[in-house]
Amino acid sequence: MSKRIETTDLNVYYSDFRAVEDVTITIQPRAITAFIGPSGCGKSTFLRTLNRMHEVIPGARVEGEVLLDGENLYGAGVDPVRVRRQVGMVFQRPNPFPTMSIRENVLAGIKLNFSRMPKGEQDDLVERSLRSANLWEEVKNRLGLPGSGLSGGQQQRRCIARAIAMAPAVLLMDEPCSALDPISTLAIEDLMSELKEKYTIVIVTHNMQQAARVSDTTAFFNIAGTGSPGRLIESGPTDKIFSTPDVQATEDYISGRFG
Amino acid sequence: MTQKLTRPGTSRGAEPGPGTGAPDPKRRGDRVFRGFAMGAGILILVILALVAAFLLIQGSPALFADPAKLISQGYGEFLPWVLPYAFGTVWAAILALVLAVPVAVGIALFISHYSPRRLAQPLGYVIDLLAAVPSVVFGLWGSLVLAPAARPLYEWLSANLGFIPLFSGTVSGTGRTIFTAAIVLATMVLPIITSMCREVFLQAPRLHEEAALALGATRWEMVKMAVFPFARPGIIAAVMLGLGRALGETMAVTMVLSGTRNITFELLTSENPNTIAATVAQNFPEAFGLKTSQLIAAGLVLFLITLVVNMIARWIVSRRAEFSGAN
Ligand SMILES: Nc1ncnc2c1ncn2[C@@H]1O[C@H](COP(=O)(O)OP(=O)(O)OP(=O)(O)O)[C@@H](O)[C@H]1O
Ligand SMILES: [Mg+2]
């Protein structure tokens, strides 16, 4: 089930340092939203506030609201653990659990939630998740092995399988292809296009073509200079952002005339 | 040869061209260090071999002596004499580990993953300080403070849980039992195990911890998924280090325990098995001739026990290397 995300005046801090300032944005369900912007402008930081992963860093805090279909994720009494079960995340570097087999990795999140799922259902879920991640054919004969022999792209798809096994409402991806070769990258982009039928997808990327290729909406973040907070400059339909953006800075960045 | 890549005056830091044949100063440093490292490695093997040779040579008169001669001039036939001590050694060490490991892992985990940073630092220092306390002090504390203080607990255990063989028998009047010795030993091995565990817990990859958290793991689930599997070989190594120390610890046991040659699992009585190290320490001053070599042979047995323990540990660590955090 896909959900809409709305943030209003979101400020994100590392201790006293304000990394992201006043972000107000609506992220549509069943669509891919790409965050672009120069390094250090707070894309990852902002992304991590959407599943309350920001606060696991000591001293980090968030001011403002993040609404997931109207429910404030930062409301009193909201359990961050529950939020993270609804909002899945794929990291820049593939991070499968090395001590677990491929199968156990896919089931890792489920084991936390519904530990007594019958084995048959588990098998189904493993197959379904790996199929959705376009990995099933490649690993179906070695589900019980640790999978350290998988390639980087396969590892990343395994992490995607792990995230979608939880049936999240939203899937956050922080530069999921930056460690991958062009072929694996294309595989993951195709995968994203399939997954957006079911999930709200947010992706951070430095790859302009990738943003243009896969996303429906693009949001451009920027910083005035080092030490100043990152801001959302503009967001809108990807076609428009890449052809006729409203702000000069956006055009400069996209056309590579940045800095 | 035709190309001269290095100009005089700049040659120091620069790489020599291929085939110039001139020895590179950096390479020489490399060789020296390699030689040094290899020498150190060999040295440790030589020391180990010398210790083993010493124990074998000096202990062999007792090892190969006629049993009758050992009975008249030594402490009695070798194997029956040493076995209870070997038992006591292993038993006391195991008890100590059973007490120490959960506490040590708990403290280490608290320091690495639960406590606020302000508390973690001082706590770490205190634990490390504990490692600096000489064993004589632990011995004094064990016999003068802990033993009398623990007696009421022992009576309670005996009265209420006496049906468990461990707690059966008449409670020692002094409280100086193998259980007290085990508590003292546990306190002594606690700091090593704690600081080693803390180090490996801190090294648990942030990436995997975040993976677990992002899947909706609670802190404890995160520890189980991303910290323990990674830290397992480290924990085992820490435990084995602790075990090594507990097996060989002499002073504290000697002072706490008035041991006998007794094979019993009862923890609270006055008939306690003694350890090899304590026996050697207690008897060595008056020993001569065959008795001396019998004590040295007992030392050889202790050496072997420690060796076997370490080999078992290696085996455990390597057994699931394929699934270890290393890959
Ligand atoms: N753990 C942290 N503690 C303190 N400051 C941090 C931390 N992580 C990031 N920052 C700071 O927050 C700002 C935003 O960083 P962030 O990682 O979100 O940028 P980014 O847009 O994702 O950059 P990149 O494209 O390089 O990934 C930067 O100034 C960075 O130095
Ligand atoms: Mg980033």
Side-chain angles (χ1 to χ4, degrees):
Chain A
M1 221 236 317
S2 185
K3 289 189 178 177
R4 176 194 315 274
I5 302 173
E6 290 159 287
T7 72
T8 30
D9 290 337
L10 202 74
N11 285 282
V12 194
Y13 298 83
Y14 291 103
S15 301
D16 295 331
F17 172 60
R18 173 149 62 165
V20 174
E21 184 178 37
D22 290 338
V23 174
T24 301
I25 190 174
T26 299
I27 295 168
Q28 297 297 345
R30 266 179 227 91
I32 299 177
T33 302
F35 291 173
I36 58 170
S39 199
C41 69
K43 303 178 297 294
S44 302
T45 304
F46 177 67
L47 191 76
R48 289 163 59 96
T49 63
L50 304 182
N51 66 342
R52 294 195 62 169
M53 277 299 285
H54 178 64
E55 65 207 51
V56 307
I57 295 163
R61 67 201 159 83
V62 176
E63 278 171 12
E65 281 192 332
V66 177
L67 302 181
L68 186 64
D69 267 7
E71 186 203 3
N72 185 8
L73 299 184
Y74 288 88
V78 175
D79 181 3
V81 167
R82 238 198 64 234
V83 171
R84 291 174 204 144
R85 289 177 185 183
Q86 279 191 68
V87 183
M89 185 161 211
V90 175
F91 295 78
Q92 180 170 2
R93 276 176 57 207
N95 54 358
F97 298 115
T99 53
M100 296 182 187
S101 67
I102 295 177
R103 180 191 147 89
E104 286 169 330
N105 255 289
V106 176
L107 291 173
I110 293 298
K111 289 258 165 74
L112 300 172
N113 286 290
F114 328 94
S115 39
R116 261 168 288 284
M117 182 184 259
K119 177 149 186 319
E121 270 180 54
Q122 289 186 0
D123 292 342
D124 285 351
L125 181 69
V126 169
E127 178 166 351
R128 228 175 328 123
S129 308
L130 286 171
R131 275 194 196 282
S132 313
N134 289 332
L135 191 60
W136 174 252
E137 294 300 329
E138 289 151 79
V139 300
K140 65 181 176 190
N141 294 323
R142 42 175 167 165
L143 293 176
L145 298 179
S148 43
L150 296 184
S151 74
Q154 290 172 326
Q155 304 272 23
Q156 193 62 299
R157 277 180 279 153
R158 172 157 70 137
C159 292
I160 294 174
R162 180 175 69 186
I164 57 189
M166 304 278 293
V170 180
L171 198 55
L172 308 177
M173 302 174 135
D174 193 349
E175 302 185 43
C177 305
S178 66
L180 306 183
D181 68 289
I183 306 243
S184 308
T185 300
L186 277 181
I188 290 192
E189 286 178 8
D190 289 346
L191 176 59
M192 282 192 283
S193 305
E194 286 168 30
L195 293 176
K196 79 169 180 182
E197 306 295 327
K198 288 198 214 153
Y199 309 102
T200 307
I201 295 184
V202 186
I203 174 177
V204 173
T205 180
H206 278 289
N207 181 333
M208 291 303 130
Q209 288 99 334
Q210 181 170 59
R213 272 194 306 262
V214 299
S215 72
D216 303 292
T217 309
T218 298
F220 173 61
F221 290 76
N222 204 354
I223 30 173
T226 41
S228 56
R231 295 173 139 274
L232 174 64
I233 303 302
E234 70 175 307
S235 75
T238 299
D239 301 342
K240 176 169 180 294
I241 296 285
F242 276 86
S243 55
T244 50
D246 293 334
V247 184
Q248 185 61 35
T250 313
E251 193 171 346
D252 290 349
Y253 182 74
I254 285 168
S255 57
R257 267 177 289 149
F258 184 76
Chain B
M1 245 43 95
T2 47
Q3 331 161 267
K4 193 126 176 116
L5 289 177
T6 52
R7 270 177 293 140
T10 62
S11 67
R12 249 191 161 273
E15 294 283 331
T20 49
D24 180 351
K26 266 192 272 172
R27 287 278 178 74
R28 198 184 310 130
D30 221 35
R31 267 205 303 277
V32 168
F33 183 75
R34 207 184 69 170
F36 176 77
M38 205 155 87
I42 291 171
L43 183 68
I44 199 75
L45 287 179
V46 168
I47 291 175
L48 200 70
L50 284 179
V51 169
F54 155 75
L55 289 171
L56 259 175
I57 293 167
Q58 302 267 321
S60 61
L63 281 176
F64 303 112
D66 184 12
K69 203 173 159 203
L70 271 181
I71 291 168
S72 59
Q73 293 173 32
Y75 298 102
E77 214 182 317
F78 185 70
L79 273 186
W81 171 79
V82 81
L83 269 183
Y85 295 139
F87 166 80
T89 304
V90 175
W91 180 230
I94 289 177
L95 286 174
L97 284 188
V98 167
L99 294 173
V101 170
V103 179
V105 170
I107 298 174
L109 203 57
F110 178 74
I111 294 176
S112 67
H113 283 83
Y114 284 85
S115 73
R117 224 178 293 169
R118 268 176 304 121
L119 201 63
Q121 282 263 328
L123 208 59
Y125 286 138
V126 170
I127 298 288
D128 289 344
L129 215 61
L130 207 58
V133 177
S135 57
V136 179
V137 175
F138 277 110
L140 286 172
W141 169 72
S143 59
L144 298 179
V145 181
L146 181 64
R151 231 180 65 86
L153 170 71
Y154 295 164
E155 307 230 301
W156 184 89
L157 281 173
S158 166
N160 294 287
L161 297 170
F163 58 89
I164 302 173
L166 287 178
F167 302 126
S168 60
T170 328
V171 173
S172 152
T174 58
R176 291 166 64 165
T177 67
I178 186 105
F179 197 38
T180 308
I183 297 176
V184 174
L185 279 179
T187 320
M188 297 177 69
V189 299
L190 192 71
I192 319 177
I193 304 182
T194 305
S195 35
M196 255 187 92
C197 286
R198 181 190 54 187
E199 287 310 311
V200 288
F201 290 163
L202 282 174
Q203 281 167 16
R206 185 87 200 134
L207 210 60
H208 295 135
E209 294 179 3
E210 294 207 333
L213 288 175
L215 283 175
T218 61
R219 182 117 44 140
W220 170 237
E221 287 167 336
M222 180 267 278
V223 165
K224 278 193 297 182
M225 278 172 107
V227 179
F228 280 159
F230 171 83
R232 217 178 52 105
I235 296 175
I236 293 173
V239 169
M240 289 304 146
L241 214 67
L243 186 57
R245 172 136 198 225
L247 285 172
E249 174 52 37
T250 314
M251 209 54 199
V253 180
T254 311
M255 292 169 76
V256 171
L257 206 58
S258 44
T260 56
R261 277 183 46 223
N262 208 0
I263 298 189
T264 172
F265 290 99
E266 291 174 358
L267 298 178
L268 310 176
T269 67
S270 49
E271 300 279 294
N272 295 292
N274 208 351
T275 68
I276 292 180
T279 303
V280 172
Q282 280 155 355
N283 292 312
F284 197 72
E286 287 111 60
F288 56 90
L290 204 54
K291 286 190 169 178
T292 306
S293 58
Q294 193 162 357
L295 291 176
I296 293 174
L300 179 65
V301 172
L302 179 57
F303 183 75
L304 289 179
I305 292 176
T306 319
L307 215 63
V308 168
V309 162
N310 273 305
M311 275 156 60
I312 294 176
R314 292 258 152 247
W315 179 72
I316 296 176
V317 171
S318 68
R319 203 166 38 125
R320 271 176 45 119
E322 192 187 4
F323 276 83
S324 86
N327 52 29

